[in-house]
Amino acid sequence: MDKVKLQHLLSEMTLTEKVGQLVQLTPGFFSAEYGDVITGPELNIDLGQVDVWQTGSVLNLSEKATIDKLQTEYLAQSRLKIPLLFMNDMIYGYKNVFPIPLALAGSHDNKMLEAIGAFLAQEAAADGVHVVFTPMLDVVRDPRWGRVLESPGEDVHTVKAYGSSLVTGLQGNFSRNAKIDMHHVAACIKHYASYGAVEAGREYTAADLSQYSLLNTYLPGYLAAVEAGVKLVMTAFTVVNGMPASVDNYLLSEVLRRQANFDGVVISDYNALNELITMGYSADDLAAAKAALTAGVDVDMMATVFANGIVRLVEQGALDVEYLDNAILRVLNLKNDLGLFENPYRGFDNNANEEEFAHLSIQATTESSVLLKNEAVLPLNPDKHYALIGPFASSPLTLGLWGSINADFSRVKTLDYSFKSAGYQYEYAKGYSLLNEKVLPVLGDMFKRVVDSNQSSDAQLASEALEVAKDADEIIFTLGEDFLQSGEAASKTDLHLAANQITLIKQLHGLGKKIIGVIYTGRPLVLTDVEPYFDALLLVWFPGTNGGLAITDMLFGKATPSGKLAMTWPRSVGQIPIHYDSLPTGRPLTTANANERFVSKYIDSPNTPLYPFGHGLTYHQDKLTCELIDITYQANTKSVQINCKVASDGQPIEDVLQVYVHQPRQAHVVLPSLKLVGTQRIKQQNEHQVTIDIPISELAYFDNQGTQHLDSGQYTFSVGLSSANLLVTSTVAIEG
Ligand code: BGC
């Protein structure tokens, strides 16, 4: 439909039809038969004069047949035949699930991330979904917050690369105002802005951060996705610097709409506009509606505010209708960009290619699993007999919270299944229970179906595991967090393993055999006390549908784990927030002054984390050498080019080279001691020259008054294998 026709459509709409386009409800509001996935409070919404059949979009309905039915029923009732938009929380997978975003980001493989986006789009579109609420681009530095699982981590460069790649994959490779073809869907980034900075990691609390860190750390990830052409932005529930993010004129009108030129749809988060009243910002629906609409929000997700508030505001003459019309046009444009006016059933002819998924998901798990420790015990010897212990090895519930919502659990390949099908010699024992009935009320009962039904006591399970371990050559112990213990609304103050896991680890250690730990988790854990009991530790996060197959291949050396930590693993909760790019101090701790009092340190802990950002061993990493050939400033492309010679003594290596810039001296403000500005995944056996280009825009920063700078001068760069393992360092002059 062309723009003139869209304008005409707008002119034909009644007030309630207009407002309806800006309201999003869960499917149960249309009819109980459609069911609901509830991710917020259960609401009894009163839509005032707006009819439910006038609402413009639906939250979290999936399945072709159901979407087909609702769309058909809706269009039959709709006067102007404006199709419904179906939006869904398919964050890192649908029926087929990839590893969690915190894992994927550590792959630093933008091509693969694009392919994952494209696969997800294909699967979603095939079932009639038009918009997916992904990627989540909240920078995170506090693992107490359960939602770190959904995030690409603590680092700005990583978040930008992850977000742009996913958006490109999901929407197709196109220019900013292009249409989206039937094989792709519209992406919605979230949660704008800085939801990841919630105080003390407690869910739904406020974030208070300086202009300096908002501009330098928290905003760039979202803005890079806007640059990549993302069609929607979701606001955060959060109060940011005293203003609810959903009505913040600075964040929405100034930064997003004016500076970044975003003309797509802004949607509030679940019930966030009602919560403006609960948190004491707005007096009623009218005030909340006016604040949100005039700030730039277009769609109200699961609240009564737009439905009730806007109609009355217009009737009272208290709202400039231009705000309303602009919002509706943006929604109609989105429907038009998706081709919905031509075909409300777009995408139904797609077929997600299962073979492609098998390949891509195994690659994703391998490239995002992090080998934290390896004392010459991995890869395993296929001639030995292993004890495989711990419930993660046999449970399909290893997809993380969002991955579990739509997943087809029958497709999950567990470690137990994969060992068996590959014919390795092993015996499995459960060893301990993850959850029991007692903890469920706290975690929410949306996943009642997954409660551990094995009621054996910890003592009995442990003694069975010890029996199995006694007969084995070596022990593989799966450990971590249940998937219900991370994700949304799963903030924690204690990041240690559960007591029954620690007890069993110690008992197994008493047998004097090698122990290999395989960690399943959605967040960094505190493993300081148990780490010494393990000879190797492989972090697989929540590894996705084909996780077991990939982990088996990694354990037995058919592939090397090659993921890097996208978030620092602390030694203790007391070190949090901890991240690699902290600002320098005038009293740095050094080996020479370690015994002095008045330096920047803890008196009861080292400053360093247990595992630093960017860490991740690979097989043969000890053989990897990197020699700097040259580093040059390319004025024509405004980039720095680094040439290195990488060798590995003839051994196959797969790794990620990481380029860090050191703090420039005498900038307008103090900048991080170290900052990641580029990465390069390498896979080779023989000596190779590797070229890495760093756009100098990566060196720009904002001062504490909000002015952006890109200084000319001498810059020092290092290439390394983690933020704490720099291999070569050199300096180059740059024209800013
Ligand atoms: C979450 C969003 C999600 C929405 C819809 C909210 O609770 O914060 O990330 O997209 O629910 O399910």
Side-chain angles (χ1 to χ4, degrees), residues 39-40 59-60 89 133 147 150 190-191 195 204 234 237 269-270 301 402 488:
T39 59
L59 170 66
N60 282 344
D89 277 309
F133 291 131
R147 301 195 81 166
E150 296 170 50
K190 58 192 189 183
H191 306 85
Y195 182 14
Y204 311 131
M234 187 189 294
F237 296 117
D269 201 349
Y270 194 108
M301 182 198 292
W402 287 119
E488 183 169 348

PDB file of all heavy atoms in Angstrom, residues 39-40 59-60 89 133 147 150 190-191 195 204 234 237 269-270 301 402 488, ligand 1:
ATOM      1  N   THR A  39       3.424 -13.068  31.304  1.00  0.00           N
ATOM      2  CA  THR A  39       4.768 -12.753  31.814  1.00  0.00           C
ATOM      3  C   THR A  39       4.711 -11.579  32.781  1.00  0.00           C
ATOM      4  O   THR A  39       5.723 -11.010  33.145  1.00  0.00           O
ATOM      5  CB  THR A  39       5.739 -12.401  30.661  1.00  0.00           C
ATOM      6  OG1 THR A  39       5.204 -11.279  29.960  1.00  0.00           O
ATOM      7  CG2 THR A  39       5.940 -13.555  29.731  1.00  0.00           C
ATOM      8  N   GLY A  40       3.514 -11.194  33.172  1.00  0.00           N
ATOM      9  CA  GLY A  40       3.357 -10.124  34.162  1.00  0.00           C
ATOM     10  C   GLY A  40       2.160 -10.462  35.014  1.00  0.00           C
ATOM     11  O   GLY A  40       1.689 -11.600  34.991  1.00  0.00           O
ATOM     12  N   LEU A  59      -0.194 -10.250  21.782  1.00  0.00           N
ATOM     13  CA  LEU A  59       1.052 -10.635  22.445  1.00  0.00           C
ATOM     14  C   LEU A  59       1.119 -12.143  22.665  1.00  0.00           C
ATOM     15  O   LEU A  59       0.200 -12.725  23.240  1.00  0.00           O
ATOM     16  CB  LEU A  59       1.130  -9.910  23.806  1.00  0.00           C
ATOM     17  CG  LEU A  59       2.231 -10.341  24.770  1.00  0.00           C
ATOM     18  CD1 LEU A  59       3.603  -9.999  24.208  1.00  0.00           C
ATOM     19  CD2 LEU A  59       2.048  -9.690  26.129  1.00  0.00           C
ATOM     20  N   ASN A  60       2.197 -12.724  22.191  1.00  0.00           N
ATOM     21  CA  ASN A  60       2.535 -14.113  22.522  1.00  0.00           C
ATOM     22  C   ASN A  60       1.529 -15.174  22.119  1.00  0.00           C
ATOM     23  O   ASN A  60       1.205 -16.060  22.909  1.00  0.00           O
ATOM     24  CB  ASN A  60       2.857 -14.231  24.025  1.00  0.00           C
ATOM     25  CG  ASN A  60       4.256 -13.707  24.311  1.00  0.00           C
ATOM     26  OD1 ASN A  60       5.063 -13.541  23.392  1.00  0.00           O
ATOM     27  ND2 ASN A  60       4.547 -13.443  25.569  1.00  0.00           N
ATOM     28  N   ASP A  89       7.541 -13.323  22.105  1.00  0.00           N
ATOM     29  CA  ASP A  89       8.823 -13.384  22.820  1.00  0.00           C
ATOM     30  C   ASP A  89       9.664 -14.564  22.363  1.00  0.00           C
ATOM     31  O   ASP A  89       9.962 -15.465  23.152  1.00  0.00           O
ATOM     32  CB  ASP A  89       8.569 -13.546  24.320  1.00  0.00           C
ATOM     33  CG  ASP A  89       8.285 -12.230  24.992  1.00  0.00           C
ATOM     34  OD1 ASP A  89       9.065 -11.300  24.813  1.00  0.00           O
ATOM     35  OD2 ASP A  89       7.263 -12.144  25.696  1.00  0.00           O
ATOM     36  N   PHE A 133      10.256 -10.152  19.897  1.00  0.00           N
ATOM     37  CA  PHE A 133      10.793  -9.243  20.908  1.00  0.00           C
ATOM     38  C   PHE A 133      12.241  -9.601  21.221  1.00  0.00           C
ATOM     39  O   PHE A 133      12.570 -10.032  22.330  1.00  0.00           O
ATOM     40  CB  PHE A 133       9.948  -9.294  22.175  1.00  0.00           C
ATOM     41  CG  PHE A 133       8.576  -8.704  22.013  1.00  0.00           C
ATOM     42  CD1 PHE A 133       7.449  -9.398  22.430  1.00  0.00           C
ATOM     43  CD2 PHE A 133       8.397  -7.448  21.453  1.00  0.00           C
ATOM     44  CE1 PHE A 133       6.183  -8.853  22.289  1.00  0.00           C
ATOM     45  CE2 PHE A 133       7.130  -6.894  21.309  1.00  0.00           C
ATOM     46  CZ  PHE A 133       6.020  -7.597  21.727  1.00  0.00           C
ATOM     47  N   ARG A 147      17.996 -11.585  34.561  1.00  0.00           N
ATOM     48  CA  ARG A 147      17.862 -11.375  33.132  1.00  0.00           C
ATOM     49  C   ARG A 147      19.191 -11.204  32.406  1.00  0.00           C
ATOM     50  O   ARG A 147      19.195 -10.957  31.196  1.00  0.00           O
ATOM     51  CB  ARG A 147      16.944 -10.180  32.854  1.00  0.00           C
ATOM     52  CG  ARG A 147      15.572 -10.366  33.431  1.00  0.00           C
ATOM     53  CD  ARG A 147      14.563  -9.392  32.865  1.00  0.00           C
ATOM     54  NE  ARG A 147      14.074  -9.847  31.574  1.00  0.00           N
ATOM     55  CZ  ARG A 147      12.996  -9.334  30.964  1.00  0.00           C
ATOM     56  NH1 ARG A 147      12.319  -8.365  31.536  1.00  0.00           N
ATOM     57  NH2 ARG A 147      12.607  -9.791  29.811  1.00  0.00           N
ATOM     58  N   GLU A 150      19.465 -13.072  29.129  1.00  0.00           N
ATOM     59  CA  GLU A 150      18.933 -12.601  27.839  1.00  0.00           C
ATOM     60  C   GLU A 150      19.836 -11.595  27.184  1.00  0.00           C
ATOM     61  O   GLU A 150      19.572 -11.133  26.074  1.00  0.00           O
ATOM     62  CB  GLU A 150      17.611 -11.870  28.057  1.00  0.00           C
ATOM     63  CG  GLU A 150      16.498 -12.674  28.597  1.00  0.00           C
ATOM     64  CD  GLU A 150      15.345 -11.759  28.990  1.00  0.00           C
ATOM     65  OE1 GLU A 150      14.942 -10.923  28.159  1.00  0.00           O
ATOM     66  OE2 GLU A 150      14.874 -11.866  30.120  1.00  0.00           O
ATOM     67  N   LYS A 190      15.043  -4.306  23.044  1.00  0.00           N
ATOM     68  CA  LYS A 190      14.538  -3.948  24.364  1.00  0.00           C
ATOM     69  C   LYS A 190      15.684  -3.968  25.354  1.00  0.00           C
ATOM     70  O   LYS A 190      16.751  -4.501  25.023  1.00  0.00           O
ATOM     71  CB  LYS A 190      13.422  -4.901  24.785  1.00  0.00           C
ATOM     72  CG  LYS A 190      13.824  -6.377  24.826  1.00  0.00           C
ATOM     73  CD  LYS A 190      12.586  -7.227  24.964  1.00  0.00           C
ATOM     74  CE  LYS A 190      12.928  -8.674  25.225  1.00  0.00           C
ATOM     75  NZ  LYS A 190      11.763  -9.547  25.297  1.00  0.00           N
ATOM     76  N   HIS A 191      15.582  -3.441  26.514  1.00  0.00           N
ATOM     77  CA  HIS A 191      14.492  -2.645  27.075  1.00  0.00           C
ATOM     78  C   HIS A 191      15.063  -1.262  27.237  1.00  0.00           C
ATOM     79  O   HIS A 191      15.929  -1.076  28.104  1.00  0.00           O
ATOM     80  CB  HIS A 191      14.046  -3.182  28.427  1.00  0.00           C
ATOM     81  CG  HIS A 191      13.683  -4.651  28.395  1.00  0.00           C
ATOM     82  ND1 HIS A 191      14.589  -5.664  28.532  1.00  0.00           N
ATOM     83  CD2 HIS A 191      12.483  -5.272  28.223  1.00  0.00           C
ATOM     84  CE1 HIS A 191      13.991  -6.838  28.472  1.00  0.00           C
ATOM     85  NE2 HIS A 191      12.705  -6.641  28.288  1.00  0.00           N
ATOM     86  N   TYR A 195      17.737  -0.947  31.449  1.00  0.00           N
ATOM     87  CA  TYR A 195      17.071  -1.848  32.410  1.00  0.00           C
ATOM     88  C   TYR A 195      18.130  -2.711  33.107  1.00  0.00           C
ATOM     89  O   TYR A 195      17.981  -3.093  34.269  1.00  0.00           O
ATOM     90  CB  TYR A 195      16.076  -2.689  31.617  1.00  0.00           C
ATOM     91  CG  TYR A 195      15.203  -3.682  32.331  1.00  0.00           C
ATOM     92  CD1 TYR A 195      15.041  -3.706  33.715  1.00  0.00           C
ATOM     93  CD2 TYR A 195      14.480  -4.618  31.578  1.00  0.00           C
ATOM     94  CE1 TYR A 195      14.198  -4.639  34.312  1.00  0.00           C
ATOM     95  CE2 TYR A 195      13.642  -5.542  32.176  1.00  0.00           C
ATOM     96  CZ  TYR A 195      13.510  -5.554  33.539  1.00  0.00           C
ATOM     97  OH  TYR A 195      12.682  -6.485  34.128  1.00  0.00           O
ATOM     98  N   TYR A 204      12.942  -5.239  38.515  1.00  0.00           N
ATOM     99  CA  TYR A 204      11.951  -4.166  38.405  1.00  0.00           C
ATOM    100  C   TYR A 204      12.254  -2.935  39.257  1.00  0.00           C
ATOM    101  O   TYR A 204      11.396  -2.070  39.409  1.00  0.00           O
ATOM    102  CB  TYR A 204      10.513  -4.665  38.721  1.00  0.00           C
ATOM    103  CG  TYR A 204      10.090  -5.935  38.014  1.00  0.00           C
ATOM    104  CD1 TYR A 204       9.517  -6.999  38.718  1.00  0.00           C
ATOM    105  CD2 TYR A 204      10.265  -6.081  36.643  1.00  0.00           C
ATOM    106  CE1 TYR A 204       9.133  -8.173  38.075  1.00  0.00           C
ATOM    107  CE2 TYR A 204       9.889  -7.250  35.993  1.00  0.00           C
ATOM    108  CZ  TYR A 204       9.326  -8.288  36.708  1.00  0.00           C
ATOM    109  OH  TYR A 204       8.951  -9.449  36.065  1.00  0.00           O
ATOM    110  N   MET A 234      11.286  -1.491  22.444  1.00  0.00           N
ATOM    111  CA  MET A 234      10.447  -1.627  23.636  1.00  0.00           C
ATOM    112  C   MET A 234      11.069  -0.816  24.776  1.00  0.00           C
ATOM    113  O   MET A 234      12.278  -0.855  24.972  1.00  0.00           O
ATOM    114  CB  MET A 234      10.357  -3.100  24.058  1.00  0.00           C
ATOM    115  CG  MET A 234       9.369  -3.357  25.206  1.00  0.00           C
ATOM    116  SD  MET A 234       9.474  -5.051  25.845  1.00  0.00           S
ATOM    117  CE  MET A 234       8.896  -5.989  24.444  1.00  0.00           C
ATOM    118  N   PHE A 237      10.661  -1.110  31.914  1.00  0.00           N
ATOM    119  CA  PHE A 237       9.757  -0.845  33.047  1.00  0.00           C
ATOM    120  C   PHE A 237      10.365   0.217  33.975  1.00  0.00           C
ATOM    121  O   PHE A 237       9.681   0.868  34.729  1.00  0.00           O
ATOM    122  CB  PHE A 237       9.660  -2.070  33.961  1.00  0.00           C
ATOM    123  CG  PHE A 237       9.063  -3.308  33.403  1.00  0.00           C
ATOM    124  CD1 PHE A 237       9.823  -4.467  33.291  1.00  0.00           C
ATOM    125  CD2 PHE A 237       7.729  -3.356  33.057  1.00  0.00           C
ATOM    126  CE1 PHE A 237       9.268  -5.643  32.841  1.00  0.00           C
ATOM    127  CE2 PHE A 237       7.162  -4.534  32.614  1.00  0.00           C
ATOM    128  CZ  PHE A 237       7.928  -5.678  32.500  1.00  0.00           C
ATOM    129  N   ASP A 269       6.572  -1.885  27.776  1.00  0.00           N
ATOM    130  CA  ASP A 269       6.659  -3.263  28.254  1.00  0.00           C
ATOM    131  C   ASP A 269       5.358  -3.620  28.981  1.00  0.00           C
ATOM    132  O   ASP A 269       4.542  -2.753  29.313  1.00  0.00           O
ATOM    133  CB  ASP A 269       7.889  -3.452  29.159  1.00  0.00           C
ATOM    134  CG  ASP A 269       8.302  -4.918  29.243  1.00  0.00           C
ATOM    135  OD1 ASP A 269       7.537  -5.787  28.785  1.00  0.00           O
ATOM    136  OD2 ASP A 269       9.393  -5.207  29.770  1.00  0.00           O
ATOM    137  N   TYR A 270       5.220  -4.896  29.254  1.00  0.00           N
ATOM    138  CA  TYR A 270       4.000  -5.475  29.820  1.00  0.00           C
ATOM    139  C   TYR A 270       3.463  -4.691  31.024  1.00  0.00           C
ATOM    140  O   TYR A 270       4.109  -4.634  32.064  1.00  0.00           O
ATOM    141  CB  TYR A 270       4.330  -6.906  30.249  1.00  0.00           C
ATOM    142  CG  TYR A 270       3.171  -7.801  30.555  1.00  0.00           C
ATOM    143  CD1 TYR A 270       2.821  -8.831  29.696  1.00  0.00           C
ATOM    144  CD2 TYR A 270       2.436  -7.641  31.715  1.00  0.00           C
ATOM    145  CE1 TYR A 270       1.768  -9.674  29.984  1.00  0.00           C
ATOM    146  CE2 TYR A 270       1.376  -8.470  32.007  1.00  0.00           C
ATOM    147  CZ  TYR A 270       1.046  -9.484  31.136  1.00  0.00           C
ATOM    148  OH  TYR A 270      -0.001 -10.319  31.428  1.00  0.00           O
ATOM    149  N   MET A 301       1.391  -2.087  25.732  1.00  0.00           N
ATOM    150  CA  MET A 301       1.303  -3.535  25.898  1.00  0.00           C
ATOM    151  C   MET A 301       0.613  -3.881  27.214  1.00  0.00           C
ATOM    152  O   MET A 301       1.105  -3.530  28.285  1.00  0.00           O
ATOM    153  CB  MET A 301       2.717  -4.158  25.893  1.00  0.00           C
ATOM    154  CG  MET A 301       2.709  -5.681  26.016  1.00  0.00           C
ATOM    155  SD  MET A 301       4.291  -6.391  26.511  1.00  0.00           S
ATOM    156  CE  MET A 301       5.315  -6.091  25.114  1.00  0.00           C
ATOM    157  N   TRP A 402      13.228 -18.151  28.622  1.00  0.00           N
ATOM    158  CA  TRP A 402      12.485 -17.799  27.405  1.00  0.00           C
ATOM    159  C   TRP A 402      12.480 -18.942  26.406  1.00  0.00           C
ATOM    160  O   TRP A 402      11.495 -19.173  25.708  1.00  0.00           O
ATOM    161  CB  TRP A 402      13.077 -16.560  26.729  1.00  0.00           C
ATOM    162  CG  TRP A 402      12.799 -15.279  27.443  1.00  0.00           C
ATOM    163  CD1 TRP A 402      13.728 -14.434  27.967  1.00  0.00           C
ATOM    164  CD2 TRP A 402      11.518 -14.671  27.715  1.00  0.00           C
ATOM    165  NE1 TRP A 402      13.109 -13.340  28.541  1.00  0.00           N
ATOM    166  CE2 TRP A 402      11.757 -13.467  28.394  1.00  0.00           C
ATOM    167  CE3 TRP A 402      10.194 -15.044  27.446  1.00  0.00           C
ATOM    168  CZ2 TRP A 402      10.731 -12.616  28.812  1.00  0.00           C
ATOM    169  CZ3 TRP A 402       9.176 -14.206  27.857  1.00  0.00           C
ATOM    170  CH2 TRP A 402       9.442 -13.015  28.534  1.00  0.00           C
ATOM    171  N   GLU A 488      13.755 -13.728  33.765  1.00  0.00           N
ATOM    172  CA  GLU A 488      12.983 -12.637  34.362  1.00  0.00           C
ATOM    173  C   GLU A 488      12.469 -13.020  35.739  1.00  0.00           C
ATOM    174  O   GLU A 488      12.062 -14.152  35.978  1.00  0.00           O
ATOM    175  CB  GLU A 488      11.792 -12.273  33.451  1.00  0.00           C
ATOM    176  CG  GLU A 488      11.010 -11.103  34.003  1.00  0.00           C
ATOM    177  CD  GLU A 488       9.995 -10.526  33.019  1.00  0.00           C
ATOM    178  OE1 GLU A 488      10.045 -10.868  31.829  1.00  0.00           O
ATOM    179  OE2 GLU A 488       9.169  -9.703  33.465  1.00  0.00           O
TER     180      GLU A 488
HETATM  181  C1  BGC B   1       9.319  -8.571  29.630  1.00  0.00           C
HETATM  182  C2  BGC B   1       9.555  -8.332  28.170  1.00  0.00           C
HETATM  183  C3  BGC B   1       8.637  -9.197  27.342  1.00  0.00           C
HETATM  184  C4  BGC B   1       7.220  -8.911  27.763  1.00  0.00           C
HETATM  185  C5  BGC B   1       6.176  -9.641  26.949  1.00  0.00           C
HETATM  186  C6  BGC B   1       7.847  -8.551  30.014  1.00  0.00           C
HETATM  187  O1  BGC B   1       7.652  -9.022  31.295  1.00  0.00           O
HETATM  188  O2  BGC B   1      10.022  -7.605  30.363  1.00  0.00           O
HETATM  189  O3  BGC B   1      10.907  -8.597  27.874  1.00  0.00           O
HETATM  190  O4  BGC B   1       8.853  -8.962  25.991  1.00  0.00           O
HETATM  191  O5  BGC B   1       7.064  -9.284  29.111  1.00  0.00           O
HETATM  192  O6  BGC B   1       6.075 -10.955  27.277  1.00  0.00           O
END
